[in-house]
Amino acid sequence: MMDKPQVLAGHRSARRMRDVRIYLLMLPSLVLISLFFYYPAVSGFIYSFTRVTTRGAVWAGLANYQRLLADTRLIASFGNLAQIVVFNVIVVATMPLMAAVLMFRMRNPRAQYAFRLMYVFPMVVPMVVMIIIWRWIYSLDGGLNILLSLVGLESITRAWLGDRQLVLYAIMFVNFPWMGGLNFLIYLSGLQSISEELFDAAIVDGVGPVSRFFLIELPLIRDQIRLLVLLTVIFWLQRFELPLILTDGGPGWASMVPGLRMYHSISRDFNIGYGSAIGTVLFILVFGMTMLQMRLGRRRAAADNR
Amino acid sequence: MRGNRIRGHGLAGYIVLSVFAVPTLFPIYVMLNMAGKDLFQYTLRPLLPTFPYHFENYLYAWQFLARSFFNNLVIIGVSTTIVLLLASMTAYALARHSFPGKRFVFYAILCVLAIPATVIMVPQFMLVVQLGVVNTLFAVMLPYAAHQSLVIIVLYTSFSQLNESMFEAARIDGAGHLRIFTTIVIPLSKPILAAMAIFEVWWLWNDYAWPSLVLSSARLRTVALQLVTFVDGMAIPQPGQEMAANVIAALPIVLLFLFSMKTFISGITSGAVKL
């Protein structure tokens, strides 16, 4: 399509001009992307081998990584992260799926619409707002303790975010029952794309509601489950707003996660080298998961084309 | 709806979904209910509704938030505009032309999706320090504006599906890139551009960690930062006013959702899946 010379005589130069303009169209994007993504990806890796002072970076070899391996509190924060990730993976594969299946099977379109609206709504409220509300729910005179007192459980009321043993569970429990929002929407759209003939055939064969789930719905949205599990892992590996706003990693280090420790390397101790080393470890973990997701995505696309 | 003609009337589904809707919506109830309480009502009955509902809490909260709303407007307005403009230019070049190095450019943009934005936070912070923009709105806007590979990929897919005959006709008429871009590509892609704009606004409105690192002056705070300081920075806690501030902070996105539900959902799902 490039070979459409308007002026035959100036064909060559006109074509080259057009080529240059195409590169100019992409230039601003490419400059911004290189500067703010590719450059930091490389410089962060280099910083992780240095000690950054006010006068510049000094080569420090593997010192940051040695410190990282010897930092028991950081290792413990990876343990916290692992618990949070495993918990959320289990949750994302069950709760929103249940909501989507139940909603998908509703006969009354209006009721379905109303329920869909209710379950989408938590996604619309900004995350920071949700976290602040949950912080109140967990506070000493907050919602959870009030509800517990109502049912006669005053004995177990406490400042939930101040309890070393429980704070991690409190963080996992945020957004209970974990059904609403994006995950549920992805499941629902997956279910809605199942061919209706399958369900008709199932009716003819006398398939009941439970077998319908295991024979038709579950196998056909396996891709969505896999996608959401991977997205959940990637999300929690790098997101730390929840512990940051709720507890700032405390009490002590009880709810620390590596991402938050990395954030503190700037906001608290200004230890760029160490923060970059943590970032590099997280980077490798997230990168691996993303590659896995992209490969599964491509395989799925290939399967769709067949 | 399809798939509904199975036996059994699904009563169990209604019950389960209704029961779980209560805790799902509980935080929103807490927020709206508490936003109308004065200190006395809050102390006496924090959870149950009380009368009168103190709307003046919103007035106080708004005074506290107004400046940060303006900052959000600037940050999100500028970065969303830049992202949409530059991303659609790049997507147009990639989708409608062939040129040497095209594959390389495409994969260079695609691979950015595998670089986790939060995890390169430390070197990005050093970069904005070196650029000398730390503690200015540029420190927030520049990385936001650069975060466009996702939008490029989505627009690329959409632009590729446009019918080539229109481009052919325009080129025969002697139309340049600019005219093709403004008279064919943009008008035909309004829905997807709107979806991407909503995705950007939703996502940027949600962001907390990055602005909290690079903005230290109180007058530069974004809404999310101001909300968190509202609680942390008050001598006498006024929970009602605090929650009123939360309601106000949630309102722009809620309105966006209510007025463009379909586009909103398609924008967020197509964006977040690749985030």
Side-chain angles (χ1 to χ4, degrees):
Chain A
M1 69 190 174
M2 298 301 297
D3 292 323
K4 286 251 178 297
Q6 283 100 9
V7 190
L8 272 171
H11 175 196
R12 268 240 164 117
S13 66
R15 192 172 144 186
R16 193 176 294 154
M17 275 299 285
R18 202 197 249 172
D19 278 352
V20 171
R21 272 190 233 133
I22 284 170
Y23 292 115
L24 285 178
L25 277 175
M26 302 184 298
L27 189 67
S29 291
L30 294 176
V31 167
L32 278 173
I33 289 173
S34 312
L35 185 62
F36 284 95
F37 286 91
Y38 280 112
Y39 171 67
V42 175
S43 76
F45 185 65
I46 295 169
Y47 281 133
S48 73
F49 297 103
T50 64
R51 207 177 61 240
V52 179
T53 63
T54 42
R55 264 169 286 150
V58 188
W59 190 255
L62 289 170
N64 290 315
Y65 290 97
Q66 279 163 353
R67 187 183 155 193
L68 192 144
L69 288 173
D71 189 341
T72 49
R73 290 187 298 188
L74 182 75
I75 307 287
S77 80
F78 273 99
N80 291 344
L81 179 66
Q83 289 184 57
I84 293 176
V85 168
V86 168
F87 176 82
N88 278 288
V89 162
I90 295 169
V91 160
V92 82
T94 51
M95 300 305 279
L97 177 60
M98 181 171 99
V101 168
L102 291 175
M103 220 166 287
F104 176 60
R105 293 180 177 191
M106 276 187 179
R107 294 165 154 211
N108 184 340
R110 249 187 237 156
Q112 194 188 41
Y113 183 79
F115 274 107
R116 206 169 70 131
L117 203 59
M118 276 191 262
Y119 278 80
V120 169
F121 210 74
M123 179 179 92
V124 180
V125 177
M127 185 182 59
V128 172
V129 170
M130 272 300 189
I131 298 175
I132 292 174
I133 299 169
W134 275 93
R135 182 161 69 175
W136 177 79
I137 292 175
Y138 282 139
S139 67
L140 198 55
D141 53 358
L144 182 57
N145 284 343
I146 296 171
L147 292 176
L148 288 173
S149 306
L150 272 178
V151 294
L153 289 169
E154 283 100 340
S155 53
I156 65 163
T157 61
R158 70 195 72 205
W160 294 93
L161 297 175
D163 189 316
R164 273 167 193 277
Q165 312 293 318
L166 295 175
V167 65
L168 208 55
Y169 302 109
I171 283 178
M172 293 174 190
F173 199 75
V174 168
N175 287 333
F176 173 84
W178 317 280
M179 277 180 166
L182 191 65
N183 303 331
F184 140 81
L185 274 178
I186 289 172
Y187 283 133
L188 191 60
S189 67
L191 288 167
Q192 281 167 347
S193 65
I194 296 175
S195 158
E196 198 167 350
E197 285 141 43
L198 278 172
F199 295 112
D200 292 341
I203 293 171
V204 174
D205 291 346
V207 170
V210 177
S211 353
R212 179 176 121 146
F213 175 73
F214 287 105
L215 292 176
I216 306 176
E217 287 158 348
L218 187 63
L220 286 174
I221 57 161
R222 205 183 280 156
D223 281 338
Q224 274 83 3
I225 300 177
R226 208 177 310 164
L227 173 73
L228 283 174
V229 164
L230 281 163
L231 285 176
T232 302
V233 176
I234 293 170
F235 180 91
W236 286 102
L237 279 176
Q238 55 170 327
R239 276 340 202 31
F240 51 85
E241 279 92 345
L242 195 55
L244 171 64
I245 298 172
L246 279 183
T247 59
D248 204 18
W253 284 61
S255 61
M256 185 60 77
V257 291
L260 183 55
R261 182 70 191 83
M262 182 187 78
Y263 177 90
H264 283 161
S265 78
I266 302 175
S267 68
R268 277 189 187 166
D269 3 297
F270 199 75
N271 194 337
I272 299 300
Y274 194 47
S276 298
I278 301 172
T280 303
V281 173
L282 286 174
F283 189 119
I284 292 164
L285 289 174
V286 177
F287 193 82
M289 295 307 293
T290 311
M291 285 291 119
L292 196 60
Q293 191 226 317
M294 279 183 169
R295 254 179 70 186
L296 291 174
R298 207 174 305 141
R299 200 194 292 162
R300 193 178 54 210
D304 285 348
N305 288 336
R306 240 182 276 135
Chain B
M1 258 357 270
R2 49 168 70 181
N4 298 334
R5 279 168 290 148
I6 201 96
R7 278 171 299 120
H9 36 71
L11 189 64
Y14 281 98
I15 294 172
V16 172
L17 286 178
S18 307
V19 167
F20 279 114
V22 174
T24 301
L25 296 174
F26 177 69
I28 294 159
Y29 161 77
V30 163
M31 171 172 77
L32 290 172
N33 176 46
M34 217 155 102
K37 292 181 193 297
D38 61 20
L39 204 50
F40 179 68
Q41 290 168 325
Y42 170 75
T43 319
L44 209 65
R45 280 187 169 180
L47 215 49
L48 291 170
T50 46
F51 296 96
Y53 193 90
H54 289 277
F55 284 101
E56 67 269 22
N57 282 352
Y58 288 94
L59 218 63
Y60 180 88
W62 171 248
Q63 287 167 0
F64 190 75
L65 281 180
R67 175 142 206 142
S68 65
F69 254 75
F70 176 75
N71 291 337
N72 266 34
L73 211 67
V74 173
I75 291 170
I76 295 176
V78 171
S79 19
T80 304
T81 312
I82 294 178
V83 165
L84 287 184
L85 184 70
L86 300 187
S88 48
M89 274 159 49
T90 307
Y92 164 71
L94 284 170
R96 311 303 321 187
H97 300 275
S98 53
F99 50 85
K102 178 171 160 171
R103 267 178 76 89
F104 174 76
V105 173
F106 185 80
Y107 279 105
I109 292 167
L110 191 68
C111 285
V112 176
L113 295 180
I115 302 178
T118 340
V119 167
I120 55 169
M121 192 171 256
V122 178
Q124 263 186 354
F125 178 79
M126 285 304 280
L127 179 63
V128 295
V129 171
Q130 282 157 357
L131 292 173
V133 292
V134 109
N135 202 24
T136 66
L137 292 187
F138 289 107
V140 186
M141 288 189 290
L142 281 168
Y144 284 175
H147 201 268
Q148 48 175 268
S149 37
L150 166 78
V151 181
I152 294 175
I153 301 294
V154 173
L155 291 180
Y156 166 83
T157 317
S158 161
F159 291 175
S160 303
Q161 287 156 357
L162 297 176
N163 197 333
E164 175 61 23
S165 58
M166 288 176 299
F167 292 90
E168 203 75 24
R171 253 179 248 125
I172 289 166
D173 288 349
H177 287 309
L178 186 69
R179 254 192 60 204
I180 292 179
F181 191 65
T182 50
T183 58
I184 300 179
V185 179
I186 300 298
L188 287 176
S189 310
K190 272 184 190 154
I192 187 76
L193 287 170
M196 286 297 100
I198 288 176
F199 170 72
E200 283 286 317
V201 172
W202 173 78
W203 174 65
L204 297 180
W205 196 271
N206 258 316
D207 203 28
Y208 172 79
W210 178 252
S212 80
L213 266 189
V214 294
L215 301 175
S216 46
S217 304
R219 67 192 167 82
L220 293 178
R221 277 187 202 131
T222 62
V223 171
L225 292 182
Q226 189 73 340
L227 281 179
V228 175
T229 14
F230 196 106
V231 200
D232 293 342
M234 262 200 313
I236 307 155
Q238 281 272 26
Q241 292 166 355
E242 180 198 329
M243 283 300 167
N246 282 321
V247 177
I248 297 175
L251 213 55
I253 307 294
V254 172
L255 291 178
L256 198 63
F257 172 72
L258 292 177
F259 284 113
S260 59
M261 220 172 284
K262 252 198 155 140
T263 320
F264 189 98
I265 287 176
S266 77
I268 309 287
T269 37
S270 65
V273 166
K274 299 192 181 85
L275 198 64

